[in-house]
Amino acid sequence: MKILWDYYENYDEYVYASDVDTYELVYMNKKTREAFNVDSLQSLAGKTCYETLQLCSSPCTLCNSSKLEPGMFTRGYNFNPILEQYISTVDTMILDNGRRYRIQIAHSVMEDESKISLISKYKDMGGLINNALAMAFQKISPDETIQCLLEHLGQILKGERAYIFEKGEHNRDFNTHEWVAAGVIPEKEHLQDLDPSICEPWYEQFKTHDYVSICNLEDIRETTPIMYSMLEPQDIRSLVVIPLRHDGKTIGFCGIDNLPDGTAEFAVGVLRIMAYFIVTELQRRDLVRSLNEMSYLDQQTGLGNRHAYRRHIDENLSDDSLGVVFCDITGLKRINDQLGHSHGDRMILRAAESIKNVFEDHSLFRFGGDEFVALCSAIDKEELEKKAKLLKTDALSRDVNLAIGTAWAPAGCVNVDRLMSDSETDMYRDKAEYYATSGLDRRRE
């Protein structure tokens, strides 16, 4: 779990982890330790989450640990007596070496007083913003919360389009979230992977100003022709954009198009307030995605795990034909015992690479230490058998002996559990044949 704790250590939200069954705290990131006067991770030994975080002598009545499941995320809202603030939370559970860990990510909506104080300067908009935040934070996922915030921004400011752009790889810009008013054509699909030169004038202006306001698009036709050429086809007549910043770095911008005349200053005030919450939710979205990835991916091979397999069965199977390939690494225990687990780990990785190479267009999962499964939708039986033979050859070329079993069903006759059972049985026949012809003692293997 160390890689996960390293990821959270300097994160600008409260993050902690506890044992679901014992309530013992196993991790707090730096911000949480400072807020709750915990000297070090070592000093968490023997401390419970309800005592340390909530000043309770027994598990909290609102505790939802019993309802948490790997890969599932639960949002909440509660008052913390130590912080003396209401906090918004996201909870999930991760399994590691047989232990169940509850991970909570939390933030205080009222944490940054310098941002919140802006509300007092715009008392006429306070009620609208509070309602928008209240409704947005009732949403389950960060993406839903962000979308709700953009919708309310558009409605409060009476604009035609509200949006978020984020910096991606190679300094390119991506329109990641968008809301449009009725009758307005969405543009998000066409505003991906933008060349850095397009938005660079705005990023330069963000270095000295905290917003960009264009009251008449024609005003920039000569001064910034590249920007003009992008905005004009979108029927943009005016706009206000503000930078989104995290840890002193501009990570993108949020904006709204085609505002009513004379409302730009008002819009800047609203966007300034909303930017804080938007950045918070963008961070939470990234963490939720990371947690989701960890919950459904085998960390060693990058293949899906059992949870991913079950989700795939529940959500993605169609009425097409289905082929199942069940694989087992022959001799892995012998390698681990004689050469060490590092050699065994490398063999597992070579097996995974072979499976990815042959079944790259299909859904791949690691079921255990030496078991792999490929689910192949819309495939005919001959092609399935051909790929299974190719996998055997490919694996041998990587010094891996795979016992392979297959099962197939035509469209309309798919029973996944039966296919899994039949392919596993076929795999054991293949394994038995290998030992019979190789002369090796299977018991020693």
Side-chain angles (χ1 to χ4, degrees), residues 123-408:
K123 292 182 179 179
D124 55 336
M125 73 174 83
L128 293 172
I129 292 176
N130 285 336
N131 288 337
L133 293 174
M135 294 185 68
F137 283 104
Q138 290 178 18
K139 299 299 181 180
I140 296 176
S141 71
D143 282 313
E144 291 177 320
T145 298
I146 293 169
Q147 194 63 32
C148 189
L149 288 173
L150 289 182
E151 178 180 340
H152 283 286
L153 271 175
Q155 293 172 341
I156 290 172
L157 299 175
K158 303 185 185 302
E160 293 185 357
R161 182 171 177 264
Y163 45 84
I164 294 170
F165 279 74
E166 297 179 69
K167 278 290 183 189
E169 292 185 358
H170 309 299
N171 216 32
R172 302 178 78 85
D173 292 285
F174 295 79
N175 186 180
T176 56
H177 299 81
E178 174 191 59
W179 169 87
V180 295
V184 177
I185 299 174
E187 299 288 348
K188 177 182 171 183
E189 180 181 349
H190 310 295
L191 299 174
Q192 303 299 320
D193 199 22
L194 300 182
D195 188 275
S197 63
I198 295 176
C199 299
E200 184 58 30
W202 287 358
Y203 286 108
E204 283 298 317
Q205 193 164 340
F206 290 154
K207 293 178 181 179
T208 55
H209 298 80
D210 66 349
Y211 70 94
V212 171
S213 177
I214 301 174
C215 295
N216 185 340
L217 187 65
E218 293 302 315
D219 293 342
I220 69 167
R221 180 194 286 266
E222 302 297 331
T223 56
T224 51
I226 296 178
M227 178 65 72
Y228 178 87
S229 66
M230 185 186 74
L231 300 179
E232 195 274 336
Q234 301 176 47
D235 194 29
I236 293 175
R237 302 177 297 279
S238 64
L239 59 78
V240 170
V241 294
I242 63 164
L244 298 175
R245 295 190 174 105
H246 176 59
D247 286 343
K249 179 182 178 182
T250 300
I251 61 173
F253 56 86
C254 174
I256 188 159
D257 296 340
N258 297 341
L259 299 160
D261 292 342
T263 62
E265 182 179 355
F266 178 81
V268 170
V270 174
L271 286 170
R272 280 171 173 162
I273 296 170
M274 288 296 196
Y276 170 70
F277 300 104
I278 288 172
V279 170
T280 296
E281 287 305 300
L282 290 175
Q283 291 177 266
R284 192 183 320 284
R285 176 207 62 191
D286 292 343
L287 279 171
V288 167
R289 288 176 180 175
S290 176
L291 285 171
N292 191 55
E293 181 176 296
M294 292 192 67
S295 298
Y296 287 107
L297 282 185
D298 174 65
Q299 298 301 303
Q300 185 177 14
T301 63
L303 301 179
N305 58 19
R306 284 181 179 268
H307 299 299
Y309 165 80
R310 181 48 55 187
R311 182 176 66 174
H312 181 84
I313 295 299
D314 292 340
E315 299 178 2
N316 298 316
L317 284 188
S318 65
D319 294 330
D320 290 326
S321 62
L322 180 67
V324 175
V325 180
F326 201 108
C327 309
D328 180 280
I329 302 175
T330 301
L332 179 62
K333 183 178 185 303
R334 174 175 55 83
I335 294 297
N336 284 333
D337 291 345
Q338 295 182 3
L339 302 178
H341 283 273
S342 61
H343 283 76
D345 288 344
R346 288 195 288 273
M347 177 176 280
I348 291 171
L349 290 175
R350 294 198 302 274
E353 288 303 314
S354 185
I355 293 168
K356 291 176 185 177
N357 183 46
V358 177
F359 291 95
E360 59 181 348
D361 297 327
H362 300 285
S363 301
L364 309 178
F365 309 92
R366 182 185 180 192
F367 263 38
D370 55 2
E371 294 179 344
F372 300 87
V373 171
L375 297 181
C376 309
S377 296
I379 192 173
D380 59 51
K381 188 174 183 179
E382 292 73 18
E383 180 66 16
L384 182 71
E385 295 295 339
K386 179 180 178 181
K387 283 183 173 291
K389 291 178 180 178
L390 179 60
L391 175 61
K392 176 83 73 171
T393 302
D394 188 284
L396 286 173
S397 72
R398 301 171 193 263
D399 197 24
V400 178
N401 194 333
L402 285 179
I404 301 173
T406 63
W408 179 86

Side-chain angles (χ1 to χ4, degrees), residues 2-130:
K2 184 179 182 301
I3 187 173
L4 183 59
W5 304 153
D6 290 343
Y7 184 89
Y8 286 133
E9 183 60 19
N10 294 308
Y11 182 58
D12 192 29
E13 301 289 353
Y14 303 107
V15 182
Y16 81 87
S18 61
D19 188 299
V20 170
D21 300 304
T22 66
Y23 301 97
E24 183 178 1
L25 285 167
V26 296
Y27 175 75
M28 281 182 172
N29 70 344
K30 181 180 179 181
K31 178 169 182 170
T32 309
R33 294 198 301 272
E34 292 174 352
F36 291 87
N37 296 316
V38 174
D39 295 331
S40 64
L41 290 177
Q42 289 72 25
S43 64
L44 291 178
K47 297 183 183 293
T48 62
C49 54
Y50 54 82
E51 291 174 324
T52 307
L53 303 177
Q54 294 290 342
L55 300 181
C56 291
S57 58
S58 60
C60 310
T61 57
L62 296 177
C63 181
N64 63 350
S65 290
S66 62
K67 300 178 181 179
L68 297 178
E69 296 179 8
M72 303 296 291
F73 299 89
T74 302
R75 296 179 66 87
Y77 187 73
N78 59 70
F79 183 78
N80 186 277
I82 298 177
L83 300 176
E84 296 184 339
Q85 295 172 338
Y86 282 96
I87 59 174
S88 178
T89 62
V90 174
D91 301 301
T92 192
M93 182 174 70
I94 285 182
L95 300 174
D96 185 65
N97 293 326
R99 293 184 69 181
R100 302 186 300 164
Y101 295 100
R102 167 202 179 103
I103 296 181
Q104 181 172 99
I105 307 163
H107 81 283
S108 169
V109 177
M110 301 298 289
E111 185 173 328
D112 190 337
E113 295 298 332
S114 65
K115 300 286 194 309
I116 302 303
S117 66
L118 289 170
I119 295 178
S120 64
K121 299 179 182 179
Y122 296 93
K123 292 182 179 179
D124 55 336
M125 73 174 83
L128 293 172
I129 292 176
N130 285 336

